[in-house]
Amino acid sequence: MDRKLALVTGASAGIGAAFARIYASHGYDIALTARRTDRLEKLAEEIRLRHGVETLTIAADLAEPESPGAILDHLTAHGRVVDALVNNAGYGVPGGFLESQWTTHAAFLQVMLTAPSELAHRVLPGMAARKFGRIVNVASLAGLIPGSPGATLYGATKSYMVKFSQSLHLENQGTGVHVSALAPGFTYSEFHDVNDTREQISRSAPEWMWLGADEVAAAGYEAAEANRPICVPGAPNKAIAAAVKLIPDEWALALMASQGPRFRGRVCR
């Protein structure tokens, strides 16, 4: 097969679907994985008709530890290897740390931290051997700012994704493998509908803070092609990320604490 293959997790909507369309527009075949089979099939048909590329759909729940291996085994059975990986699957758990059972947090960590790390670990050897690869880890502006009350593990996992991507970027310099972390702020998608925070977010986040999923994914694609280790799309988000580096940690934490009632349970993406 001459065309390269891009694997996109959380591909059924939002940033993931936008990434799938962008990679298809650049001639990649597309492997789509998410939990919602009907959404995947609809997107796969759209991409096939519009771009004339091959699409594969794999219904999988990354909260199940065996899913990363099963996804890649499915592709191997179809004679395909992963040339571009977009670790996009994600969600938020609103509320304070003790407001959810540990099983909820454990599933969250599996999806947000373990699964993307395992997928990268499994596909990197082949990318290095072929001297070509692209890995985009979708992080968040929340991973670049101090922790806030509520959604306790979200910022922590996104901070991990930023540092993880930076390290992989350095480890793979000169190999033809590019690794980038994409750190968007508030993005128009179904993200906040899934965790039932849409009404709260709409009231408290001004319109100028929001970007479209297509705009965010395009920035991530360009960053990976340019081999930039981190991409923060949107001028307001860039300003926030820069400002946090300039003020003392205790000031930043005090600001997050003062905004607790307003920001509780909110996550950027």
Side-chain angles (χ1 to χ4, degrees), residues 182-213:
L182 175 62
F186 293 113
T187 304
Y188 288 114
S189 70
E190 295 181 358
F191 183 89
H192 295 103
D193 298 310
V194 172
N195 65 11
D196 199 29
T197 59
R198 170 63 59 192
E199 183 178 354
Q200 179 187 7
I201 295 295
S202 297
R203 287 198 311 265
S204 54
E207 187 174 349
W208 55 265
M209 292 186 67
W210 292 82
L211 294 176

PDB file of all heavy atoms in Angstrom, residues 182-213:
ATOM      1  N   LEU A 182      -0.374  19.213  21.275  1.00  0.00           N
ATOM      2  CA  LEU A 182      -1.331  20.258  20.923  1.00  0.00           C
ATOM      3  C   LEU A 182      -2.075  20.653  22.184  1.00  0.00           C
ATOM      4  O   LEU A 182      -2.690  19.811  22.832  1.00  0.00           O
ATOM      5  CB  LEU A 182      -2.304  19.741  19.862  1.00  0.00           C
ATOM      6  CG  LEU A 182      -3.451  20.658  19.459  1.00  0.00           C
ATOM      7  CD1 LEU A 182      -2.937  21.955  18.845  1.00  0.00           C
ATOM      8  CD2 LEU A 182      -4.387  19.931  18.487  1.00  0.00           C
ATOM      9  N   ALA A 183      -2.010  21.930  22.552  1.00  0.00           N
ATOM     10  CA  ALA A 183      -2.587  22.391  23.824  1.00  0.00           C
ATOM     11  C   ALA A 183      -3.643  23.459  23.577  1.00  0.00           C
ATOM     12  O   ALA A 183      -3.389  24.651  23.782  1.00  0.00           O
ATOM     13  CB  ALA A 183      -1.486  22.911  24.738  1.00  0.00           C
ATOM     14  N   PRO A 184      -4.839  23.063  23.148  1.00  0.00           N
ATOM     15  CA  PRO A 184      -5.896  24.049  22.901  1.00  0.00           C
ATOM     16  C   PRO A 184      -6.556  24.517  24.186  1.00  0.00           C
ATOM     17  O   PRO A 184      -6.486  23.852  25.228  1.00  0.00           O
ATOM     18  CB  PRO A 184      -6.893  23.271  22.038  1.00  0.00           C
ATOM     19  CG  PRO A 184      -6.738  21.850  22.494  1.00  0.00           C
ATOM     20  CD  PRO A 184      -5.275  21.695  22.850  1.00  0.00           C
ATOM     21  N   GLY A 185      -7.209  25.643  24.097  1.00  0.00           N
ATOM     22  CA  GLY A 185      -8.083  26.104  25.165  1.00  0.00           C
ATOM     23  C   GLY A 185      -9.496  25.648  24.856  1.00  0.00           C
ATOM     24  O   GLY A 185      -9.717  24.538  24.360  1.00  0.00           O
ATOM     25  N   PHE A 186     -10.480  26.500  25.129  1.00  0.00           N
ATOM     26  CA  PHE A 186     -11.877  26.125  24.899  1.00  0.00           C
ATOM     27  C   PHE A 186     -12.133  25.955  23.408  1.00  0.00           C
ATOM     28  O   PHE A 186     -11.817  26.831  22.600  1.00  0.00           O
ATOM     29  CB  PHE A 186     -12.809  27.172  25.484  1.00  0.00           C
ATOM     30  CG  PHE A 186     -12.759  27.238  26.985  1.00  0.00           C
ATOM     31  CD1 PHE A 186     -12.251  28.347  27.630  1.00  0.00           C
ATOM     32  CD2 PHE A 186     -13.206  26.175  27.742  1.00  0.00           C
ATOM     33  CE1 PHE A 186     -12.197  28.400  29.015  1.00  0.00           C
ATOM     34  CE2 PHE A 186     -13.148  26.215  29.126  1.00  0.00           C
ATOM     35  CZ  PHE A 186     -12.639  27.328  29.763  1.00  0.00           C
ATOM     36  N   THR A 187     -12.703  24.811  23.048  1.00  0.00           N
ATOM     37  CA  THR A 187     -12.903  24.439  21.650  1.00  0.00           C
ATOM     38  C   THR A 187     -14.349  24.025  21.437  1.00  0.00           C
ATOM     39  O   THR A 187     -14.896  23.241  22.222  1.00  0.00           O
ATOM     40  CB  THR A 187     -11.971  23.271  21.271  1.00  0.00           C
ATOM     41  OG1 THR A 187     -10.613  23.644  21.547  1.00  0.00           O
ATOM     42  CG2 THR A 187     -12.106  22.941  19.796  1.00  0.00           C
ATOM     43  N   TYR A 188     -14.949  24.531  20.366  1.00  0.00           N
ATOM     44  CA  TYR A 188     -16.319  24.143  20.035  1.00  0.00           C
ATOM     45  C   TYR A 188     -16.328  22.679  19.590  1.00  0.00           C
ATOM     46  O   TYR A 188     -15.800  22.315  18.540  1.00  0.00           O
ATOM     47  CB  TYR A 188     -16.875  25.025  18.923  1.00  0.00           C
ATOM     48  CG  TYR A 188     -17.183  26.437  19.357  1.00  0.00           C
ATOM     49  CD1 TYR A 188     -16.453  27.508  18.846  1.00  0.00           C
ATOM     50  CD2 TYR A 188     -18.196  26.708  20.269  1.00  0.00           C
ATOM     51  CE1 TYR A 188     -16.735  28.814  19.232  1.00  0.00           C
ATOM     52  CE2 TYR A 188     -18.480  28.007  20.668  1.00  0.00           C
ATOM     53  CZ  TYR A 188     -17.751  29.057  20.146  1.00  0.00           C
ATOM     54  OH  TYR A 188     -18.021  30.340  20.537  1.00  0.00           O
ATOM     55  N   SER A 189     -16.921  21.827  20.415  1.00  0.00           N
ATOM     56  CA  SER A 189     -17.047  20.401  20.119  1.00  0.00           C
ATOM     57  C   SER A 189     -18.093  19.836  21.066  1.00  0.00           C
ATOM     58  O   SER A 189     -18.775  20.586  21.766  1.00  0.00           O
ATOM     59  CB  SER A 189     -15.702  19.683  20.302  1.00  0.00           C
ATOM     60  OG  SER A 189     -15.366  19.624  21.676  1.00  0.00           O
ATOM     61  N   GLU A 190     -18.194  18.510  21.123  1.00  0.00           N
ATOM     62  CA  GLU A 190     -19.135  17.875  22.044  1.00  0.00           C
ATOM     63  C   GLU A 190     -18.517  17.610  23.409  1.00  0.00           C
ATOM     64  O   GLU A 190     -19.147  17.016  24.277  1.00  0.00           O
ATOM     65  CB  GLU A 190     -19.625  16.548  21.448  1.00  0.00           C
ATOM     66  CG  GLU A 190     -20.435  16.714  20.175  1.00  0.00           C
ATOM     67  CD  GLU A 190     -20.921  15.373  19.644  1.00  0.00           C
ATOM     68  OE1 GLU A 190     -20.589  14.336  20.245  1.00  0.00           O
ATOM     69  OE2 GLU A 190     -21.620  15.367  18.620  1.00  0.00           O
ATOM     70  N   PHE A 191     -17.279  18.055  23.615  1.00  0.00           N
ATOM     71  CA  PHE A 191     -16.541  17.720  24.830  1.00  0.00           C
ATOM     72  C   PHE A 191     -17.322  18.079  26.087  1.00  0.00           C
ATOM     73  O   PHE A 191     -17.464  17.281  27.009  1.00  0.00           O
ATOM     74  CB  PHE A 191     -15.189  18.456  24.809  1.00  0.00           C
ATOM     75  CG  PHE A 191     -14.295  18.133  25.967  1.00  0.00           C
ATOM     76  CD1 PHE A 191     -13.415  17.062  25.893  1.00  0.00           C
ATOM     77  CD2 PHE A 191     -14.324  18.884  27.128  1.00  0.00           C
ATOM     78  CE1 PHE A 191     -12.571  16.755  26.949  1.00  0.00           C
ATOM     79  CE2 PHE A 191     -13.485  18.586  28.193  1.00  0.00           C
ATOM     80  CZ  PHE A 191     -12.618  17.528  28.104  1.00  0.00           C
ATOM     81  N   HIS A 192     -17.846  19.302  26.146  1.00  0.00           N
ATOM     82  CA  HIS A 192     -18.524  19.747  27.361  1.00  0.00           C
ATOM     83  C   HIS A 192     -19.963  19.229  27.462  1.00  0.00           C
ATOM     84  O   HIS A 192     -20.558  19.282  28.533  1.00  0.00           O
ATOM     85  CB  HIS A 192     -18.502  21.277  27.444  1.00  0.00           C
ATOM     86  CG  HIS A 192     -17.117  21.825  27.598  1.00  0.00           C
ATOM     87  ND1 HIS A 192     -16.439  22.395  26.545  1.00  0.00           N
ATOM     88  CD2 HIS A 192     -16.275  21.851  28.650  1.00  0.00           C
ATOM     89  CE1 HIS A 192     -15.226  22.767  26.969  1.00  0.00           C
ATOM     90  NE2 HIS A 192     -15.109  22.450  28.233  1.00  0.00           N
ATOM     91  N   ASP A 193     -20.494  18.733  26.348  1.00  0.00           N
ATOM     92  CA  ASP A 193     -21.808  18.089  26.416  1.00  0.00           C
ATOM     93  C   ASP A 193     -21.689  16.721  27.084  1.00  0.00           C
ATOM     94  O   ASP A 193     -22.557  16.307  27.853  1.00  0.00           O
ATOM     95  CB  ASP A 193     -22.396  17.933  25.012  1.00  0.00           C
ATOM     96  CG  ASP A 193     -22.610  19.272  24.335  1.00  0.00           C
ATOM     97  OD1 ASP A 193     -23.216  20.161  24.965  1.00  0.00           O
ATOM     98  OD2 ASP A 193     -22.170  19.439  23.182  1.00  0.00           O
ATOM     99  N   VAL A 194     -20.581  16.015  26.793  1.00  0.00           N
ATOM    100  CA  VAL A 194     -20.396  14.670  27.322  1.00  0.00           C
ATOM    101  C   VAL A 194     -20.293  14.687  28.845  1.00  0.00           C
ATOM    102  O   VAL A 194     -20.844  13.820  29.525  1.00  0.00           O
ATOM    103  CB  VAL A 194     -19.132  14.017  26.696  1.00  0.00           C
ATOM    104  CG1 VAL A 194     -18.822  12.696  27.381  1.00  0.00           C
ATOM    105  CG2 VAL A 194     -19.350  13.802  25.198  1.00  0.00           C
ATOM    106  N   ASN A 195     -19.565  15.681  29.395  1.00  0.00           N
ATOM    107  CA  ASN A 195     -19.428  15.710  30.855  1.00  0.00           C
ATOM    108  C   ASN A 195     -20.444  16.638  31.522  1.00  0.00           C
ATOM    109  O   ASN A 195     -20.297  16.993  32.698  1.00  0.00           O
ATOM    110  CB  ASN A 195     -17.996  16.060  31.279  1.00  0.00           C
ATOM    111  CG  ASN A 195     -17.587  17.474  30.862  1.00  0.00           C
ATOM    112  OD1 ASN A 195     -18.394  18.281  30.441  1.00  0.00           O
ATOM    113  ND2 ASN A 195     -16.299  17.751  30.991  1.00  0.00           N
ATOM    114  N   ASP A 196     -21.458  17.057  30.748  1.00  0.00           N
ATOM    115  CA  ASP A 196     -22.598  17.806  31.285  1.00  0.00           C
ATOM    116  C   ASP A 196     -22.190  19.136  31.911  1.00  0.00           C
ATOM    117  O   ASP A 196     -22.735  19.548  32.933  1.00  0.00           O
ATOM    118  CB  ASP A 196     -23.346  16.951  32.312  1.00  0.00           C
ATOM    119  CG  ASP A 196     -24.774  17.475  32.558  1.00  0.00           C
ATOM    120  OD1 ASP A 196     -25.349  18.074  31.628  1.00  0.00           O
ATOM    121  OD2 ASP A 196     -25.288  17.273  33.666  1.00  0.00           O
ATOM    122  N   THR A 197     -21.223  19.832  31.265  1.00  0.00           N
ATOM    123  CA  THR A 197     -20.819  21.152  31.760  1.00  0.00           C
ATOM    124  C   THR A 197     -21.093  22.247  30.734  1.00  0.00           C
ATOM    125  O   THR A 197     -20.620  23.365  30.886  1.00  0.00           O
ATOM    126  CB  THR A 197     -19.320  21.175  32.132  1.00  0.00           C
ATOM    127  OG1 THR A 197     -18.536  20.829  30.972  1.00  0.00           O
ATOM    128  CG2 THR A 197     -19.015  20.214  33.268  1.00  0.00           C
ATOM    129  N   ARG A 198     -21.841  21.929  29.683  1.00  0.00           N
ATOM    130  CA  ARG A 198     -22.074  22.894  28.611  1.00  0.00           C
ATOM    131  C   ARG A 198     -22.703  24.195  29.111  1.00  0.00           C
ATOM    132  O   ARG A 198     -22.240  25.289  28.790  1.00  0.00           O
ATOM    133  CB  ARG A 198     -22.976  22.264  27.535  1.00  0.00           C
ATOM    134  CG  ARG A 198     -23.493  23.244  26.471  1.00  0.00           C
ATOM    135  CD  ARG A 198     -22.374  23.849  25.659  1.00  0.00           C
ATOM    136  NE  ARG A 198     -21.620  22.807  24.981  1.00  0.00           N
ATOM    137  CZ  ARG A 198     -20.444  23.017  24.392  1.00  0.00           C
ATOM    138  NH1 ARG A 198     -19.891  24.209  24.441  1.00  0.00           N
ATOM    139  NH2 ARG A 198     -19.817  22.026  23.792  1.00  0.00           N
ATOM    140  N   GLU A 199     -23.752  24.113  29.913  1.00  0.00           N
ATOM    141  CA  GLU A 199     -24.444  25.323  30.379  1.00  0.00           C
ATOM    142  C   GLU A 199     -23.515  26.180  31.229  1.00  0.00           C
ATOM    143  O   GLU A 199     -23.439  27.409  31.058  1.00  0.00           O
ATOM    144  CB  GLU A 199     -25.688  24.940  31.178  1.00  0.00           C
ATOM    145  CG  GLU A 199     -26.503  26.138  31.635  1.00  0.00           C
ATOM    146  CD  GLU A 199     -27.756  25.744  32.385  1.00  0.00           C
ATOM    147  OE1 GLU A 199     -28.060  24.532  32.452  1.00  0.00           O
ATOM    148  OE2 GLU A 199     -28.427  26.655  32.912  1.00  0.00           O
ATOM    149  N   GLN A 200     -22.771  25.549  32.135  1.00  0.00           N
ATOM    150  CA  GLN A 200     -21.858  26.277  33.003  1.00  0.00           C
ATOM    151  C   GLN A 200     -20.761  26.954  32.195  1.00  0.00           C
ATOM    152  O   GLN A 200     -20.428  28.130  32.419  1.00  0.00           O
ATOM    153  CB  GLN A 200     -21.238  25.317  34.018  1.00  0.00           C
ATOM    154  CG  GLN A 200     -20.245  25.979  34.971  1.00  0.00           C
ATOM    155  CD  GLN A 200     -19.543  24.955  35.848  1.00  0.00           C
ATOM    156  OE1 GLN A 200     -19.694  23.762  35.661  1.00  0.00           O
ATOM    157  NE2 GLN A 200     -18.773  25.438  36.796  1.00  0.00           N
ATOM    158  N   ILE A 201     -20.198  26.230  31.227  1.00  0.00           N
ATOM    159  CA  ILE A 201     -19.117  26.782  30.404  1.00  0.00           C
ATOM    160  C   ILE A 201     -19.620  27.947  29.571  1.00  0.00           C
ATOM    161  O   ILE A 201     -18.962  28.983  29.448  1.00  0.00           O
ATOM    162  CB  ILE A 201     -18.542  25.687  29.492  1.00  0.00           C
ATOM    163  CG1 ILE A 201     -17.865  24.599  30.325  1.00  0.00           C
ATOM    164  CG2 ILE A 201     -17.560  26.279  28.505  1.00  0.00           C
ATOM    165  CD1 ILE A 201     -16.657  25.057  31.075  1.00  0.00           C
ATOM    166  N   SER A 202     -20.793  27.794  28.987  1.00  0.00           N
ATOM    167  CA  SER A 202     -21.345  28.843  28.120  1.00  0.00           C
ATOM    168  C   SER A 202     -21.584  30.135  28.888  1.00  0.00           C
ATOM    169  O   SER A 202     -21.434  31.232  28.343  1.00  0.00           O
ATOM    170  CB  SER A 202     -22.656  28.361  27.489  1.00  0.00           C
ATOM    171  OG  SER A 202     -22.422  27.234  26.665  1.00  0.00           O
ATOM    172  N   ARG A 203     -21.923  30.015  30.174  1.00  0.00           N
ATOM    173  CA  ARG A 203     -22.165  31.212  30.980  1.00  0.00           C
ATOM    174  C   ARG A 203     -20.868  31.921  31.352  1.00  0.00           C
ATOM    175  O   ARG A 203     -20.835  33.148  31.454  1.00  0.00           O
ATOM    176  CB  ARG A 203     -22.922  30.845  32.271  1.00  0.00           C
ATOM    177  CG  ARG A 203     -24.376  30.493  32.078  1.00  0.00           C
ATOM    178  CD  ARG A 203     -25.112  30.579  33.421  1.00  0.00           C
ATOM    179  NE  ARG A 203     -24.415  29.860  34.476  1.00  0.00           N
ATOM    180  CZ  ARG A 203     -24.683  28.608  34.834  1.00  0.00           C
ATOM    181  NH1 ARG A 203     -25.615  27.940  34.195  1.00  0.00           N
ATOM    182  NH2 ARG A 203     -24.005  28.031  35.808  1.00  0.00           N
ATOM    183  N   SER A 204     -19.810  31.170  31.593  1.00  0.00           N
ATOM    184  CA  SER A 204     -18.624  31.753  32.215  1.00  0.00           C
ATOM    185  C   SER A 204     -17.449  31.994  31.276  1.00  0.00           C
ATOM    186  O   SER A 204     -16.555  32.781  31.616  1.00  0.00           O
ATOM    187  CB  SER A 204     -18.156  30.864  33.377  1.00  0.00           C
ATOM    188  OG  SER A 204     -17.961  29.539  32.943  1.00  0.00           O
ATOM    189  N   ALA A 205     -17.401  31.346  30.119  1.00  0.00           N
ATOM    190  CA  ALA A 205     -16.279  31.531  29.193  1.00  0.00           C
ATOM    191  C   ALA A 205     -16.697  32.469  28.070  1.00  0.00           C
ATOM    192  O   ALA A 205     -17.606  32.146  27.306  1.00  0.00           O
ATOM    193  CB  ALA A 205     -15.841  30.182  28.623  1.00  0.00           C
ATOM    194  N   PRO A 206     -16.053  33.622  27.921  1.00  0.00           N
ATOM    195  CA  PRO A 206     -16.429  34.570  26.871  1.00  0.00           C
ATOM    196  C   PRO A 206     -16.159  34.007  25.477  1.00  0.00           C
ATOM    197  O   PRO A 206     -15.293  33.147  25.287  1.00  0.00           O
ATOM    198  CB  PRO A 206     -15.541  35.784  27.151  1.00  0.00           C
ATOM    199  CG  PRO A 206     -14.392  35.251  27.939  1.00  0.00           C
ATOM    200  CD  PRO A 206     -14.938  34.106  28.738  1.00  0.00           C
ATOM    201  N   GLU A 207     -16.895  34.516  24.506  1.00  0.00           N
ATOM    202  CA  GLU A 207     -16.823  33.987  23.144  1.00  0.00           C
ATOM    203  C   GLU A 207     -15.419  34.083  22.559  1.00  0.00           C
ATOM    204  O   GLU A 207     -14.992  33.219  21.788  1.00  0.00           O
ATOM    205  CB  GLU A 207     -17.824  34.724  22.264  1.00  0.00           C
ATOM    206  CG  GLU A 207     -17.956  34.149  20.871  1.00  0.00           C
ATOM    207  CD  GLU A 207     -19.060  34.807  20.073  1.00  0.00           C
ATOM    208  OE1 GLU A 207     -19.852  35.551  20.662  1.00  0.00           O
ATOM    209  OE2 GLU A 207     -19.104  34.580  18.858  1.00  0.00           O
ATOM    210  N   TRP A 208     -14.662  35.129  22.919  1.00  0.00           N
ATOM    211  CA  TRP A 208     -13.345  35.319  22.331  1.00  0.00           C
ATOM    212  C   TRP A 208     -12.341  34.250  22.754  1.00  0.00           C
ATOM    213  O   TRP A 208     -11.266  34.119  22.159  1.00  0.00           O
ATOM    214  CB  TRP A 208     -12.784  36.711  22.654  1.00  0.00           C
ATOM    215  CG  TRP A 208     -12.721  37.076  24.116  1.00  0.00           C
ATOM    216  CD1 TRP A 208     -13.640  37.777  24.831  1.00  0.00           C
ATOM    217  CD2 TRP A 208     -11.666  36.750  25.041  1.00  0.00           C
ATOM    218  NE1 TRP A 208     -13.235  37.918  26.142  1.00  0.00           N
ATOM    219  CE2 TRP A 208     -12.029  37.302  26.293  1.00  0.00           C
ATOM    220  CE3 TRP A 208     -10.450  36.068  24.928  1.00  0.00           C
ATOM    221  CZ2 TRP A 208     -11.227  37.174  27.422  1.00  0.00           C
ATOM    222  CZ3 TRP A 208      -9.649  35.931  26.066  1.00  0.00           C
ATOM    223  CH2 TRP A 208     -10.043  36.493  27.278  1.00  0.00           C
ATOM    224  N   MET A 209     -12.691  33.461  23.781  1.00  0.00           N
ATOM    225  CA  MET A 209     -11.781  32.410  24.228  1.00  0.00           C
ATOM    226  C   MET A 209     -11.936  31.111  23.434  1.00  0.00           C
ATOM    227  O   MET A 209     -11.123  30.190  23.588  1.00  0.00           O
ATOM    228  CB  MET A 209     -12.007  32.113  25.721  1.00  0.00           C
ATOM    229  CG  MET A 209     -11.592  33.231  26.654  1.00  0.00           C
ATOM    230  SD  MET A 209     -11.715  32.771  28.410  1.00  0.00           S
ATOM    231  CE  MET A 209     -10.427  31.521  28.535  1.00  0.00           C
ATOM    232  N   TRP A 210     -12.947  31.031  22.573  1.00  0.00           N
ATOM    233  CA  TRP A 210     -13.268  29.775  21.900  1.00  0.00           C
ATOM    234  C   TRP A 210     -12.674  29.706  20.499  1.00  0.00           C
ATOM    235  O   TRP A 210     -12.614  30.698  19.782  1.00  0.00           O
ATOM    236  CB  TRP A 210     -14.784  29.595  21.817  1.00  0.00           C
ATOM    237  CG  TRP A 210     -15.423  29.383  23.139  1.00  0.00           C
ATOM    238  CD1 TRP A 210     -15.773  30.338  24.053  1.00  0.00           C
ATOM    239  CD2 TRP A 210     -15.792  28.132  23.727  1.00  0.00           C
ATOM    240  NE1 TRP A 210     -16.332  29.763  25.161  1.00  0.00           N
ATOM    241  CE2 TRP A 210     -16.363  28.411  24.991  1.00  0.00           C
ATOM    242  CE3 TRP A 210     -15.700  26.813  23.304  1.00  0.00           C
ATOM    243  CZ2 TRP A 210     -16.832  27.407  25.833  1.00  0.00           C
ATOM    244  CZ3 TRP A 210     -16.164  25.811  24.136  1.00  0.00           C
ATOM    245  CH2 TRP A 210     -16.721  26.108  25.385  1.00  0.00           C
ATOM    246  N   LEU A 211     -12.267  28.497  20.098  1.00  0.00           N
ATOM    247  CA  LEU A 211     -11.826  28.218  18.738  1.00  0.00           C
ATOM    248  C   LEU A 211     -12.643  27.059  18.182  1.00  0.00           C
ATOM    249  O   LEU A 211     -13.191  26.254  18.934  1.00  0.00           O
ATOM    250  CB  LEU A 211     -10.342  27.843  18.711  1.00  0.00           C
ATOM    251  CG  LEU A 211      -9.315  28.921  19.092  1.00  0.00           C
ATOM    252  CD1 LEU A 211      -7.917  28.319  19.090  1.00  0.00           C
ATOM    253  CD2 LEU A 211      -9.389  30.106  18.154  1.00  0.00           C
ATOM    254  N   GLY A 212     -12.697  26.952  16.861  1.00  0.00           N
ATOM    255  CA  GLY A 212     -13.360  25.826  16.229  1.00  0.00           C
ATOM    256  C   GLY A 212     -12.458  24.610  16.186  1.00  0.00           C
ATOM    257  O   GLY A 212     -11.227  24.721  16.170  1.00  0.00           O
ATOM    258  N   ALA A 213     -13.056  23.423  16.160  1.00  0.00           N
ATOM    259  CA  ALA A 213     -12.281  22.180  16.130  1.00  0.00           C
ATOM    260  C   ALA A 213     -11.406  22.102  14.885  1.00  0.00           C
ATOM    261  O   ALA A 213     -10.266  21.616  14.949  1.00  0.00           O
ATOM    262  CB  ALA A 213     -13.222  20.978  16.203  1.00  0.00           C
TER     263      ALA A 213
END
